[in-house]
Amino acid sequence: MTTVQILSWASVATNIVLYSTGIPRCREFREQKTTGNVSPFPFVATILNCIFWLAYGMLQNDALIWEVNIIGLTMQTIYLLCFVFYCEHKASVLRMLFFCACFSGGILYYIFFVSISRPYVAATWLGFLCNGLTIIMFASPLSTLPEVIRTKSSASMPGFLTMATFICAIAWTAYGYVVEDLFLIVPNGVGCVLGAFQCILFCVYPMRGLRQIDVKPSNA
């Protein structure tokens, strides 16, 4: 088995583990009948990331990339539907989803229109976009950073997701290096740094007691 094959299997495995981290979250939502203070941003960011990497893999004819992201898109969509079902502020979440759908639809229409005559240009622009979205996805758990600092607890951060993201970034950085694809190396290299920073936060601000979803008292 070649180095590329080993790293490709490692990348697939770590991605599946990464995508599976939404299962415990959805179980919490179902048990407590609320999403509490959990942000939908990581779910939305991951879905957008999967959509554009799927398109990039198709343009580059890289089966590994588009197959992995089909799995991710399916799983993350299920998680997001679960979030919407249990969240208290459905209107704001649906507005976010509508904006993201318009954004992704418009970009994909333009990219594939360009790819008809200039496939290399389309792949390059899509690669830059995927880079930006991947970095946003890796940074999305830090959306609760102010609360972590305020409460001196990392309970609002997804611990398993952070570790899985860190390991996944390492695997994809190595794969990108072997296949010589800068569009894989750069964002996942940044993901390694962000993942390490988030792991440090868990050490500095450990979770207090049992992991719970914070629920704000009702005014009723």
Side-chain angles (χ1 to χ4, degrees):
M1 184 176 290
T2 65
T3 302
V4 173
Q5 290 175 320
I6 294 174
L7 289 175
S8 64
W9 280 107
S11 300
V12 170
T14 54
N15 255 95
I16 292 176
V17 172
L18 173 62
Y19 295 141
S20 299
T21 57
I23 296 176
R25 273 297 194 183
C26 289
R27 187 179 296 117
E28 290 178 354
F29 298 157
R30 186 184 64 182
E31 291 175 352
Q32 302 191 29
K33 309 299 181 184
T34 181
T35 58
N37 67 341
V38 177
S39 170
F41 189 65
F43 297 112
V44 176
T46 306
I47 286 177
L48 286 175
N49 187 66
C50 288
I51 289 174
F52 289 111
W53 275 112
L54 171 60
Y56 179 79
M58 294 174 66
L59 285 176
Q60 295 291 78
N61 197 28
D62 190 325
L64 175 65
I65 295 177
W66 64 261
E67 287 174 356
V68 164
N69 283 283
I70 284 178
I71 297 172
L73 180 59
T74 301
M75 297 178 70
Q76 292 298 322
T77 300
I78 294 173
Y79 301 154
L80 185 59
L81 289 174
C82 178
F83 184 94
V84 172
F85 183 80
Y86 288 110
C87 75
E88 298 177 357
H89 307 288
K90 290 182 173 60
S92 61
V93 176
L94 291 176
R95 282 195 298 270
M96 178 190 299
L97 294 179
F98 177 75
F99 171 78
C100 290
C102 292
F103 170 76
S104 59
I107 293 295
L108 288 176
Y109 176 81
Y110 174 76
I111 290 295
F112 282 107
F113 178 77
V114 172
S115 69
I116 296 175
S117 58
R118 294 178 293 171
Y120 175 77
V121 174
T124 300
W125 280 107
L126 190 56
F128 280 119
L129 178 61
C130 289
N131 273 217
L133 288 173
T134 300
I135 292 172
I136 291 174
M137 184 194 73
F138 284 138
S140 61
L142 293 174
S143 60
T144 59
L145 180 60
E147 182 171 347
V148 171
I149 296 175
R150 179 179 60 83
T151 61
K152 300 188 183 303
S153 170
S154 57
S156 62
M157 290 180 63
F160 187 39
L161 173 62
T162 297
M163 184 56 64
T165 300
F166 184 38
I167 296 174
C168 186
I170 294 174
W172 278 101
T173 300
Y175 176 77
Y177 178 78
V178 171
V179 300
E180 299 180 347
D181 190 335
L182 282 176
F183 288 130
L184 292 176
I185 297 174
V186 173
N188 287 288
V190 175
C192 291
V193 176
L194 291 173
F197 175 67
Q198 292 169 48
C199 290
I200 292 173
L201 283 177
F202 277 99
C203 295
V204 176
Y205 301 114
M207 294 182 183
R208 294 182 176 179
L210 295 175
R211 181 183 181 83
Q212 295 289 334
I213 297 177
D214 295 337
V215 181
K216 295 181 180 179
S218 173
N219 294 327

